[in-house]
Amino acid sequence: MKRIGVLVSGRGSNLQALIDAARRGELGGEIAVVVSNVETAAGLERARRAGIPTAFRDHRGKKREAFDAEIVEILHAHRVDLVCLAGFMRLLSPVFVRAFPQRVVNIHPALLPAFPGKDAQRQAWEHGAKVSGPTVHIVDEGLDSGPIVAQEAVSVRSSDTPESLAERILEAEHRLYPRAVRTLLAGRWRIEGRRFLVEDE
Ligand code: GAR
């Protein structure tokens, strides 16, 4: 069984989608540990309720590399094969990315490369985009810049507020992330340039 480490900073609804998919046997792996930089993150409580080991490490007052090294140590101790960022609101340093080459993925609430960074749903809404939606991508050393694993289109309605749009994108995230993780764990893929290619697809 492949082992997944999930990093969260907040609500953890994507973590919950991964937990639920794993329970249904649809993830192709098990969640070995959930780590957070926020002690009160609801995601940690979700993990505890599911009987998954958790860890908290405070990033405050630490150099980015030192904090990342602490997280990497936890993930190694739990023999993690794949790291899933699920609303983890910290930029990862090269120390982290190089410890898990092509083995860190993130979910972002916009169709990358449009609207990277914070508050992506609001960025898309303010820009007047007619289509947005989540992206699952491999994490590289840039900001939301790694190869795209999967995306789902969500129409933007005239009646949408940034909040209502974010809500529909979140529903799509919960469908997309478990599917993308399953593909990644199945291992029948390669990266050519920026392109993530799945065998027999
Ligand atoms: C999700 O919408 C996720 O796409 C976003 O944070 C939210 C976390 O929700 N991530 C980013 O913006 C990363 N740049 P959750 O804690 O309920 O999964």
Side-chain angles (χ1 to χ4, degrees):
M1 197 64 136
K2 296 273 187 185
R3 296 169 64 78
I4 305 162
V6 185
L7 271 49
V8 297
S9 295
R11 178 177 59 182
S13 71
N14 277 290
L15 165 66
Q16 191 66 54
L18 295 174
I19 291 172
D20 295 345
R23 270 209 193 110
R24 295 193 299 265
E26 291 173 5
L27 206 56
E30 62 182 338
I31 302 174
V33 64
V34 173
V35 186
S36 183
N37 63 319
V38 178
E39 197 167 17
T40 55
L44 285 177
E45 185 50 36
R46 291 180 192 267
R48 280 184 218 111
R49 250 187 280 135
I52 299 166
T54 62
F56 155 68
R57 290 291 182 282
D58 202 339
H59 62 272
R60 289 172 297 184
K62 288 174 193 158
K63 287 226 165 87
R64 196 176 292 281
E65 288 73 17
F67 171 73
D68 282 6
E70 286 182 23
I71 305 288
V72 166
E73 194 184 327
I74 297 168
L75 296 168
H76 279 157
H78 287 269
R79 292 173 288 112
V80 158
D81 301 295
L82 179 74
V83 181
C84 294
L85 310 184
F88 186 64
M89 295 309 191
R90 304 278 311 159
L91 253 184
L92 298 182
S93 67
V95 167
F96 197 116
V97 177
R98 286 175 199 162
F100 293 96
Q102 297 189 347
R103 293 293 182 275
V104 184
V105 282
N106 180 40
I107 186 149
H108 180 77
L111 294 176
L112 292 170
F115 313 121
K118 282 204 172 144
D119 231 350
Q121 306 95 325
R122 177 177 286 277
Q123 287 187 53
W125 180 86
E126 275 178 359
H127 193 86
K130 296 297 184 198
V131 180
S132 192
T135 301
V136 175
H137 66 93
I138 306 270
V139 174
D140 64 10
E141 292 176 18
L143 172 66
D144 298 330
S145 59
I148 293 167
V149 175
Q151 294 183 307
E152 185 175 320
V154 172
S155 294
V156 184
R157 300 172 188 155
S158 299
S159 57
D160 267 327
T161 60
E163 292 73 27
S164 67
L165 176 61
E167 220 170 277
R168 284 206 311 295
I169 292 174
L170 191 65
E171 286 169 18
E173 292 183 39
H174 298 162
R175 285 190 292 273
L176 191 70
Y177 211 1
R179 259 194 257 138
V181 168
R182 187 187 178 98
T183 300
L184 285 158
L185 291 179
R188 295 159 62 80
W189 54 270
R190 65 185 190 283
I191 293 172
E192 281 181 15
R194 284 200 44 87
R195 301 171 68 230
F196 178 92
L197 304 173
V198 180
E199 276 171 46
D200 309 325
E201 190 184 73

